[in-house]
């Protein structure tokens, strides 16, 4: 089966935004205008296509990223069924709530571009900044869409200014709104210098007209500003422009596209998805300015056999390389979503999972419209699809040609910050709960399941209270597991502040063969790898633990080294300050000794555990807590009460501003102090203030608070233990 559309006419992009910016409403319009849906569903009716989970429809928010494949012909094309004029879109509608931020992060890894949606009243919001940061990390080109221009209080200029101040100075207007609030009529295109109205059924009748006289001066002013910013990115155009020659429309769009692909400019569109104004022109903008796979640099990876860097071109003729970015259980079974970077994948074929080293059979391949499927025989370079029937494929695994193996860069996810205890209600639930938790953890890399070694209780951890609430609800609805849950707890971490050494000899003799293991280790705070450097051969490293084998002359035989590494990692998992997992530690094994008869793996593992505890006592081990960035929007009369309340919670106000008639307070506050804050905020402000919260960083817990945490967990003082 041949590729339907050439690679140059493929666009993989995500729709991202803060909660309630109108992202899912925009996605529904995209489905309607591209012909994938014959009826527009609304979030407030619980009838949207992309929010297909029961929990999403009940709460009116997006929880899981939904994949959509559709075709689009630009609005200027006369015959919109002419396939030679069509483009293929693979779109991912991502969540806006911070608790489901992993969905955005993993989507950014496999997308080529993004449409960032903003509420015209609120402007840039906290999750807008988080998502923008993820896009910066992944170097994803973006276009902006200032939505909801029909809302009371809509202000395009204020929203545009918030993008410049809080996200990037490289944003540039390519449209202006025609009217606003209840008088919002259409948009002014600053590239073509034309105005557009959207009438007929669901805004499908697009009419190009001259710019109204009352907006002509503003349009000319901002058109000149746009041209100035664009010509800076082409020496020939700049020279001609300085000589008084204006660029042609074709040159202007071509140079703007080049700047967008290089992340040098971010075009800003406007409209109202709910009122069916402007969405089609955003889709034209996706075609004009966001990249096709052929615009991207070659894909880099590592040969698992030689350890050397390899590259793959975005081409069907190259060996296969694909990245699994999401695993999902639905009513049809388990799906593994993957992005093909090079080569092709056929249903029924065998491919190599380079991450595990095992072969996998591709049972079936499906393209998706949220929770609906269409089976295909083959997918090509640049495309996004899902496989059915994989046995061991997990998030971040690389799928490739067995004869030409390659491992692509993995997706790094944030650590959970909230934990709670969960127990099954009945014996029957107990059997099902383990399976349900494993499948949910396979789907969501930010959801962790562990067992408390002392109480043997099951602990689940995630990105927030809502995250865990949704997962417990899914356990009940999808797996039939009834469970009791404890109160949310903070996911503290531990680390060390300085270097320390320990020399520990584990020797036991109790008749017959004894046990002997002797290690000398150094521990120190783990440092990030310098850019461009790879992990040395004598070093094993993951995100939060590094083990360096510096043994010389066979002081410890090679077969015992893994036991030492495992022992240190186990000691870190048990913690030292308050029994929480220790992270970001480098352990160097530099000396030791062994016994020809009595040495064993268990002896060296135990020696490593005791040596690590001894070193941690000297290395300034501390407790870390998650610090959240909060943004409170409130009427001015409540600012004093809110600031005082934030201070009482060990919080720090880091900024104040205003949006519309409301004041905005930005602060950092420990997560421990934030449980139930939304309720107390409503009480303080007669229900007139709102708050959003995102994870910011980990910080050392003050000694008095750490002492209370240790006491609550029944742990002795560090000095006493040392």
């Amino acid at each position: 089966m041949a590729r339907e559309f050439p690679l140059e006419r493929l666009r993989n992009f995500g729709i991202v935004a803060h909660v309630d910016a109108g992202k899912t409403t925009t996605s529904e319009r995209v489905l309607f205008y591209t012909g994938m849906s014959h009826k527009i569903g609304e979030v407030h009716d619980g009838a949207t296509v992309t929010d297909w989970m029961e929990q999403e429809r009940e709460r009116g928010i997006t929880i899981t990223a939904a994949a959509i494949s559709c075709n689009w012909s630009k609005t200027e094309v006369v015959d919109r069924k002419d396939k030679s004029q069509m483009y293929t879109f693979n779109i991912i509608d991502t969540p806006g709530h911070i608790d489901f931020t992993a969905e955005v992060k993993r989507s950014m890894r496999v997308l080529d571009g993004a449409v960032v949606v903003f509420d015209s009243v609120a402007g840039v919001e906290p999750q807008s900044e988080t998502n923008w940061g993820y896009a910066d990390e992944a170097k994803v080109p973006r276009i902006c869409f200032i939505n909801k221009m029909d809302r009371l209080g809509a202000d395009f200029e204020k929203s545009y200014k918030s993008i410049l101040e809080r996200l990037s100075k490289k944003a540039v207007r390519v449209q202006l709104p025609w009217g606003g609030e209840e008088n919002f009529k259409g948009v002014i295109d600053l590239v073509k210098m034309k105005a557009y109205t959207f009438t007929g059924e669901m805004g499908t009748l697009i009419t190009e007209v001259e710019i109204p006289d009352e907006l002509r001066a503003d349009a000319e002013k901002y058109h000149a500003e746009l041209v100035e910013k664009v010509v800076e990115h082409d020496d020939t155009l700049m020279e001609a422009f300085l000589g008084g020659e204006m660029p042609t429309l074709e040159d202007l769009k071509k140079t703007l596209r080049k700047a967008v692909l290089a992340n040098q400019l971010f075009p800003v569109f406007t409209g109202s998805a709910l009122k069916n104004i402007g969405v089609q022109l955003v889709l034209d903008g996706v075609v004009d300015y966001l990249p096709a796979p052929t615009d991207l640099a070659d894909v880099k990876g590592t040969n698992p056999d030689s350890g050397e860097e390899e590259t793959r071109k975005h081409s069907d003729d190259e060996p296969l390389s694909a990245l699994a970015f999401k695993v999902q259980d639905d009513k049809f079974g388990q799906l593994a979503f993957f992005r093909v970077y090079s080569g092709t994948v056929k249903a029924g074929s065998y491919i190599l999972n380079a991450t595990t080293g095992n072969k996998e059979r591709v049972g079936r391949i499906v393209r998706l419209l949220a929770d609906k499927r269409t089976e295909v025989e083959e997918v090509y370079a640049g495309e996004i699809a899902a496989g059915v029937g994989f046995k061991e494929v997990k998030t971040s695994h690389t799928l490739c040609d067995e004869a030409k193996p390659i491992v692509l860069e993995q997706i790094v996810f944030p650590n959970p910050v909230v934990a709670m205890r969960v127990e099954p209600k009945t014996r029957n639930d107990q059997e099902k709960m383990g399976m349900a938790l494993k499948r949910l953890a396979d789907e969501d890399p930010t959801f962790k399941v562990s067992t408390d070694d002392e109480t043997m209780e099951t602990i689940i951890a995630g990105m927030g209270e809502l995250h865990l609430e949704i997962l417990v609800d899914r356990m009940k609805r999808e797996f039939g597991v009834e469970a009791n849950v404890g109160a949310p707890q903070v996911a503290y971490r531990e680390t060390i502040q300085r270097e320390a050494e320990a020399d520990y000899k584990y020797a036991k003799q109790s008749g017959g063969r004894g046990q002997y293991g002797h290690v000398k280790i150094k521990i120190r705070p783990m440092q990030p790898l310098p850019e461009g450097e790879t992990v040395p051969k004598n070093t094993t490293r993951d995100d939060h633990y590094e083990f360096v084998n510096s043994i010389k002359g066979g002081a410890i035989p090679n077969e015992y080294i893994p036991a030492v590494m495992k022992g240190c990692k186990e000691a870190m998992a048990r913690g030292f300050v308050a029994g929480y997992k220790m992270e970001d530690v480098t352990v160097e094994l530099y000396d030791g000794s062994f016994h020809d008869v009595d040495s064993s793996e268990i002896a060296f593992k135990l020696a490593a555990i005791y040596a690590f505890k001894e070193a941690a006592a000297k290395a300034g081990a501390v407790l870390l807590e998650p610090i959240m960035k909060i943004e409170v929007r409130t009427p001015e009369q409540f600012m004093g009460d809110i600031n005082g309340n934030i201070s009482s919670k060990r919080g720090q106000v880091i900024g104040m501003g205003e949006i519309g008639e409301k004041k905005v307070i930005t602060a950092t506050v420990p997560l421990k102090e934030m449980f139930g804050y939304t309720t107390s905020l409503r009480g303080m402000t007669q229900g007139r203030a709102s708050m959003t919260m995102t994870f910011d960083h980990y910080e050392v817990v003050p000694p008095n608070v750490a002492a209370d945490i240790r006491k609550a967990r029944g742990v002795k003082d560090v000095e006493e233990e040392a």
Side-chain angles (χ1 to χ4, degrees), residues 443 463 482:
E443 275 189 34
M463 298 305 296
E482 295 281 353

Side-chain angles (χ1 to χ4, degrees), residues 494 498 576-579 613 616-623 706-707 710 715-722:
E494 298 182 17
R498 55 182 178 268
F576 178 76
V577 181
K613 288 192 73 174
K618 306 172 190 173
V622 289
L623 197 60
R710 291 172 58 80
V715 180
K716 296 176 184 178
D717 287 338
V718 176
E719 292 77 10
E720 186 182 340
E721 196 170 89

